Amino acid sequence: MTKQVKQLDRVIIRFAGDSGDGMQLTGDRFTQETASFGNDLSTLPNFPAEIRAPQGTLPGVSSFQVHFADHDILTPGDAPDVLVAMNPAALRANLGDLPKGATIVVDSHDFTSRNLSKAGYTENPLETDALAEFAVHSYDLTDMTVEAVKEFGLSRKDAGRAKNMFALGLVSWMYGRPTEPTVTFLERRFAKAPDIRDANVTAFRAGWYFGETTEAFVVQYEVKPAPMPPGVYRNITGNLALAYGLVAGSTQSGLPLFLGSYPITPASDILHELSKHKRFGVTTFQAEDEIAGIGAALGASFAGSLGVTTTSGPGIALKSETIGLAVMTELPLVVVDVQRGGPSTGLPTKTEQADLLQAMFGRNGESPVPIVAPRSPADCFDAAVEAARIAVTYRTPVMLLSDGMLANGSEPWRIPEVEDLPRIEPGFATEPNHQTTNAKGETVEEFWPYLRDEDTLARPWAVPGTKGLEHRIGGLEKGDGHGNISYDPTNHDFMVRTRQAKVDRIAESLPPLEVDDPSGKARVLVLGWGSTYGPIGAAVRRARTAGLEVAQVHLRHLNPFPQDLGDILKSYDAVMVPEMNLGQLSMLLRARYLVDVVGYNYVRGLPLKAAELASAITDLVEATTGETPSSVSDGHQAPAAVKESVR
Amino acid sequence: MTTESLPFPGLQHVPATEVPQTGKDFSSDQEVRWCPGCGDYAVLKAVQSFLPDLGLRRENIVFISGIGCSSRFPYYLDTYGMHSIHGRAPAIATGLATARDDLSVWVVTGDGDALSIGGNHLIHALRRNVNMTILLFNNRIYGLTKGQYSPTSELGKVTKSTPMGSLDNPFNPVSLALGAEGTFVARTVDSDRKHLTAVLSAAAAHRGTSFVEIYQNCPIFNDGAFDAVKDNDTKADALIPLVHGEPIRFGAPGEDGLGAKGVVRDPATGGLRIAEVAEVGADAVLVHDAHADDPTTAFALSRLTDPGHLHKAPIGIFRQVDHVSYDDQARGQITTARAGHEDTALELDALLHSGDTWTVA
């Protein structure tokens, strides 16, 4: 039968099931199909910290949200248009996020009294009017899967496992996704288990045919490809892009990459990824603890490698003393913090950006460390290259602040040409740099490890094996120039100021900030950093669509701040700073520029919601200018935003 | 003491010097600032005079230390060096030794640095068998912080922080190193220059982690801790020298000219005990086998050390076995992976394009 095809400009789908149901894989496959189709997209995986929480319970629900469109989009979306729920718990856990009229595709197989009660239902919502506000497609997907794959002779349990592929096939049909990438993927993944491979491919196809043939689905939707700049694209997660960026930092500097790391969520994937790339001369050292991870990385830096350590907030706490040693010894080191909910163990699998002040100040003494933050999953690549540039050029540890949303979220990435990547010059010291006169009146050539470059204030990097440049470094205060231990009060004051001046000087190498203020008339600026780029951009667009004038600036460099930031802040009547913390950037801006910024702060372990933020921006524009917009709502209910001054 | 000849396997990739060196070449211009009479001076002197014998380029030698009196050591040697942070020297040295096979890497640490705050890094460096030599200066006290008990201080020790006596059982560093799968484990004494140099030489020769405990006197906060093993009147009965292939005999000479005491197996416990050779017969005395792969006997020898006030201690090489080192394997994996992939620009381009891609015209 011929089905009606409806055009949509964007769709948000959330796949939800038990953590053993393969929802991350299902979401990832749908994303790959969507990417190869040419839509712009953004994804948000959401999973419990427990590997396998008790089956069928609310804590065990794992989900994957994908937002795709025929135009450029910035966020994984606030609320799903479609929920695919594989069991009662998945339905219950996600129902509250659905707007009225949303579509629900549900596997009714597990809606037994036992599983309903595990999910906290007293009656079966599929049999009451509990879902009356939604378009519900309820089928026993599990039974249909088992029936479809019975020829392969799998046990009922194994056969039922392919139900995620059946659901994927069905949803792929609904949105006209290409099927070849998934079939190829399944053939590769299960190459060694032919019956599992065949069962999955068959279930996937059966799901597609079910959508195509059954009268239950009368409409197929189409989301046309998004116009994008020419180039070769791939879909990429933040952790993968960050790992590639580190490899690029190594090849572009000619320094072998040494990663010292200890596994921690959500950073471990960077360790896993880099361990595959030994052909680039990458060494990955899984250390006995966080401290040894960074210690070995610093040792490798002393030896002339690009030392890197990767972790999350709790690991940064343990590494702090060694970061201080890197500040004192002035050796290059990249410290990656994939931020998660805190304090303490906090929310290991959820996102947050509350480690900014830890990165900035979390060490004893005056211990300045440059900070770089990527703004989207694909941007993790460029941010990692930039962190390597600063570390090597200025001989300093650099904090690279990613977060859980960037790490696991994905988006299309236009793959750069290798020849367009920046070169990084290590400029190793090779000969003595200072002359003295000895007791006999002869001139003697010496190497002074703390004699600085006039432009960058960086000290020379002389690696062991370089003849005549033998020297000792360490954590004790150094005498200016010669670098021997010095307890001299004036010298200490001078060295403290010099280390700060060196970090401040990085600002001279930064490009001017990009101010997005289309009319040039905005009186309100929204300023952000890190992964809030997407929600802020989406919210600013909504406000502009509603007729408001709003400017947007996003910071990549948090320390030092770009040189033009102060003037930009002072040129607006009001500045809003949205953050997934209680106002950490706000505090830094207020302290540095004496600008009374307005915080917009949520720490829910999830990205900021664009609709709520748009509403808060609207309020601020109104309060500042007296204008009233037409409407910023797009049909999604926006709860009152938390607006407060800092802390 | 070592059966290895130059160039040592432990230093096989380190370039040799073309110009003969002397101890003076290894002295830095920094004034040595330990307390008068400190055992560290003797070790420094021994190291400075022994390093030229290795025949290595000075610029390819690196000393890494932690925090404590002994950790000032690198400042006084004109090699590359890093005086790092408390307890972390083995971790830093692991990165250094893994990144470069052309360096001779030394760690200088103390009983507090290596066994308290840095215990974790020490045992993991040992089990990985990273190519480095760890010198543990054991003075059985905290010197730099002015006299608190250390993890090797005897039980009940009265110090500034334990006015009624310490409650901590001490570590036996040699037992600990053997338990951590150490492939080269030795003990020597600061005041015995000849023995010290022989042990250091064997340690440098070894490929993998070499662990050397050096009994070292702190004249200020723990003076006399090693008197029994250093005093000419008592040391013959206190020190039990271990020499590979030789029966373990010590004490005043017996009828056969060797020590009257010997180490024998105790059939009742399977352990070792000390006996009068005249009573048990020379054939019953254990012949030291440092190369035995099974560390059981080496461990039993380490237990002959007094845990309290030191009246008895074996010295020499307890264990020296050939096991593949972590850093050799790590570099080996990279060499294997690189073969045929040397063009990094090409490889990077291929990496960035891996997986599903699509083209927008």
Side-chain angles (χ1 to χ4, degrees), chain A residues 214-284:
Chain A
T214 180
E215 293 183 10
F217 295 92
V218 291
V219 186
Q220 190 180 24
Y221 298 94
E222 184 175 65
V223 180
K224 293 224 163 103
M228 293 188 182
V232 180
Y233 285 78
R234 62 178 289 172
N235 193 53
I236 197 157
T237 63
N239 271 349
L240 188 58
L242 201 153
Y244 285 2
L246 293 173
V247 172
S250 160
T251 62
Q252 295 309 102
S253 61
L255 301 172
L257 177 62
F258 185 102
L259 173 70
S261 184
Y262 186 79
I264 185 170
T265 302
S268 303
D269 281 341
I270 304 171
L271 165 63
H272 304 161
E273 184 60 32
L274 287 174
S275 69
K276 296 178 198 163
H277 302 308
K278 295 187 168 59
R279 66 186 181 283
F280 291 97
V282 174
T283 303
T284 52

Side-chain angles (χ1 to χ4, degrees), chain A residues 43-45 47 64 236-243 264-270 311-312 336-340 348-352 374-378 380 401-411 531:
Chain A
T43 67
L44 175 68
F47 43 85
F64 188 103
I236 197 157
T237 63
N239 271 349
L240 188 58
L242 201 153
I264 185 170
T265 302
S268 303
D269 281 341
I270 304 171
T311 187
S312 188
V336 180
D337 176 1
V338 185
Q339 300 165 94
R340 66 190 214 185
T349 60
K350 311 296 181 200
T351 197
E352 202 162 289
R375 65 189 193 181
S376 73
C380 288
L401 287 185
S402 179
D403 68 34
M405 180 197 170
L406 297 176
N408 294 313
S410 70
E411 65 177 352
S531 74

Side-chain angles (χ1 to χ4, degrees), chain A residues 35 228 230-231 233-234 277-279 281 283 285 288-289 291 296 303 464-466 469-475 484, chain B residues 30 59 74 78-83 88 91 95 100 120-121 128 326 333-334 337-338 347 351-352 354 357-358 360:
Chain A
M228 293 188 182
Y233 285 78
R234 62 178 289 172
H277 302 308
K278 295 187 168 59
R279 66 186 181 283
T283 303
F285 170 63
E288 59 271 23
D289 57 29
I291 299 170
T466 316
L469 272 50
E470 295 84 359
H471 65 282
R472 277 64 57 192
I473 54 176
N484 293 323
Chain B
Q30 296 298 293
E59 63 269 26
D78 199 7
T79 64
Y80 282 87
M82 189 195 291
H83 174 217
R88 315 304 170 202
R100 297 272 299 271
N120 202 29
H121 308 308
R128 287 193 188 100
Y326 174 88
Q333 286 189 344
I334 288 175
R338 284 199 87 121
E347 289 295 325
L351 175 68
L352 302 187
S354 59
T357 63
W358 68 98
V360 175

Side-chain angles (χ1 to χ4, degrees), chain B:
Chain B
M1 184 170 292
T2 182
T3 49
E4 311 284 0
S5 54
L6 285 166
F8 290 149
L11 305 166
Q12 58 188 316
H13 303 298
V14 185
T17 181
E18 294 100 28
V19 237
Q21 299 160 330
T22 66
K24 203 162 165 281
D25 294 321
F26 285 91
S27 307
S28 78
D29 59 358
Q30 296 298 293
E31 187 190 353
V32 184
R33 293 185 195 167
W34 288 309
C35 307
C38 177
D40 290 354
Y41 283 99
V43 186
L44 177 64
K45 210 75 200 153
V47 168
Q48 282 170 341
S49 57
F50 140 87
L51 282 176
D53 297 343
L54 296 177
L56 305 175
R57 288 194 191 169
R58 199 156 48 91
E59 63 269 26
N60 288 74
I61 300 174
V62 189
F63 277 79
I64 308 282
S65 64
I67 294 290
C69 294
S70 58
S71 287
R72 297 295 178 98
F73 207 88
Y75 288 120
Y76 309 134
L77 284 170
D78 199 7
T79 64
Y80 282 87
M82 189 195 291
H83 174 217
S84 76
I85 44 178
H86 211 1
R88 315 304 170 202
I92 292 167
T94 294
L96 189 79
T98 306
R100 297 272 299 271
D101 68 351
D102 62 336
L103 302 178
S104 169
V105 180
W106 298 72
V107 168
V108 177
T109 183
D111 39 319
D113 194 54
L115 302 173
S116 267
I117 195 166
N120 202 29
H121 308 308
L122 177 74
I123 58 175
H124 288 277
L126 286 164
R127 77 165 166 101
R128 287 193 188 100
N129 201 29
V130 184
N131 199 35
M132 64 170 92
T133 299
I134 300 173
L135 309 182
L136 190 157
F137 293 39
N138 183 9
N139 59 12
R140 309 186 74 187
I141 197 76
Y142 281 177
L144 197 64
T145 51
K146 303 189 178 175
Q148 302 82 7
Y149 71 105
S150 93
T152 54
S153 297
E154 63 276 17
L155 193 64
K157 189 171 189 72
V158 173
T159 71
K160 276 186 187 159
S161 59
T162 50
M164 294 174 72
S166 84
L167 308 173
D168 293 21
N169 279 310
F171 267 137
N172 176 329
V174 168
S175 298
L176 183 76
L178 289 166
E181 310 291 340
T183 57
F184 181 103
V185 180
R187 177 187 285 149
T188 183
V189 184
D190 60 357
S191 51
D192 186 344
R193 176 81 164 266
K194 198 172 153 212
H195 191 266
L196 177 63
T197 305
V199 168
L200 292 184
S201 179
H206 178 70
R207 191 140 194 95
T209 306
S210 304
F211 174 87
V212 182
E213 180 191 10
I214 305 171
Y215 283 158
Q216 176 250 327
N217 191 48
C218 173
I220 307 296
F221 296 108
N222 204 20
D223 196 24
F226 302 100
D227 276 359
V229 297
K230 290 183 172 195
D231 191 290
N232 282 335
D233 295 337
T234 54
K235 72 178 183 189
D237 282 326
L239 288 176
I240 308 173
L242 304 175
V243 180
H244 177 70
E246 302 281 333
I248 305 170
R249 305 259 307 252
F250 68 107
E255 284 175 10
D256 57 3
L258 299 173
K261 294 175 185 169
V263 173
V264 298
R265 288 246 178 245
D266 183 342
T269 64
L272 301 177
R273 65 179 177 86
I274 291 160
E276 296 294 331
V277 178
E279 288 172 18
V280 295
D283 290 349
V285 175
L286 184 72
V287 174
H288 183 47
D289 179 9
H291 301 325
D293 200 57
D294 182 345
T296 311
T297 303
F299 188 82
L301 283 168
S302 76
R303 304 314 289 172
L304 297 174
T305 316
D306 279 329
H309 194 76
L310 202 64
H311 291 292
K312 210 161 252 74
I315 60 164
I317 301 170
F318 289 74
R319 185 173 196 232
Q320 181 181 11
V321 294
D322 275 337
H323 286 187
V324 63
S325 77
Y326 174 88
D327 49 309
D328 282 341
Q329 293 182 91
R331 288 185 295 263
Q333 286 189 344
I334 288 175
T335 305
T336 305
R338 284 199 87 121
H341 300 277
E342 290 84 0
D343 185 340
T344 50
L346 207 67
E347 289 295 325
L348 181 61
D349 189 63
L351 175 68
L352 302 187
H353 286 81
S354 59
D356 297 337
T357 63
W358 68 98
T359 303
V360 175

Side-chain angles (χ1 to χ4, degrees), chain A residues 301-521:
Chain A
S301 286
F302 185 44
S305 295
L306 176 60
V308 178
T309 190
T310 50
T311 187
S312 188
I316 295 293
L318 289 163
K319 294 180 196 294
S320 298
E321 190 187 15
T322 311
I323 298 172
L325 179 63
V327 167
M328 200 63 153
T329 53
E330 302 191 40
L331 286 169
L333 185 69
V334 177
V335 180
V336 180
D337 176 1
V338 185
Q339 300 165 94
R340 66 190 214 185
S344 188
T345 312
L347 304 173
T349 60
K350 311 296 181 200
T351 197
E352 202 162 289
Q353 23 176 211
D355 295 354
L356 176 58
L357 295 182
Q358 182 189 29
M360 189 79 189
F361 299 121
R363 294 164 295 283
N364 59 308
E366 294 287 350
S367 183
V369 171
I371 304 171
V372 175
R375 65 189 193 181
S376 73
D379 187 46
C380 288
F381 179 86
D382 293 324
V385 176
E386 172 67 351
R389 177 192 75 86
I390 294 174
V392 171
T393 309
Y394 293 87
R395 323 300 200 208
T396 176
V398 176
M399 283 274 192
L400 181 54
L401 287 185
S402 179
D403 68 34
M405 180 197 170
L406 297 176
N408 294 313
S410 70
E411 65 177 352
W413 177 45
R414 187 153 68 103
I415 302 169
E417 298 293 337
V418 170
E419 62 260 31
D420 294 342
L421 297 174
R423 295 292 315 173
I424 300 169
E425 295 300 337
F428 289 127
T430 52
E431 45 196 40
N433 57 359
H434 189 257
Q435 291 184 335
T436 49
T437 310
N438 69 9
K440 293 180 205 159
E442 303 156 334
T443 303
V444 184
E445 297 281 332
E446 287 185 332
F447 175 65
W448 279 24
Y450 280 77
L451 211 54
R452 294 171 190 280
D453 180 278
E454 284 179 13
D455 292 333
T456 59
L457 296 182
R459 75 171 190 90
W461 188 9
V463 301
T466 316
K467 193 176 172 63
L469 272 50
E470 295 84 359
H471 65 282
R472 277 64 57 192
I473 54 176
L476 286 169
E477 183 61 284
K478 301 287 167 288
D480 178 37
H482 54 73
N484 293 323
I485 300 172
S486 169
Y487 302 118
D488 177 67
T490 315
N491 176 76
H492 178 56
D493 185 80
F494 178 80
M495 292 298 274
V496 165
R497 291 175 194 278
T498 303
R499 283 185 289 265
Q500 182 65 51
K502 179 179 81 165
V503 170
D504 291 344
R505 204 163 281 195
I506 295 165
E508 291 178 8
S509 73
L510 306 181
L513 283 168
E514 287 175 29
V515 181
D516 175 24
D517 184 359
S519 67
K521 291 184 202 151

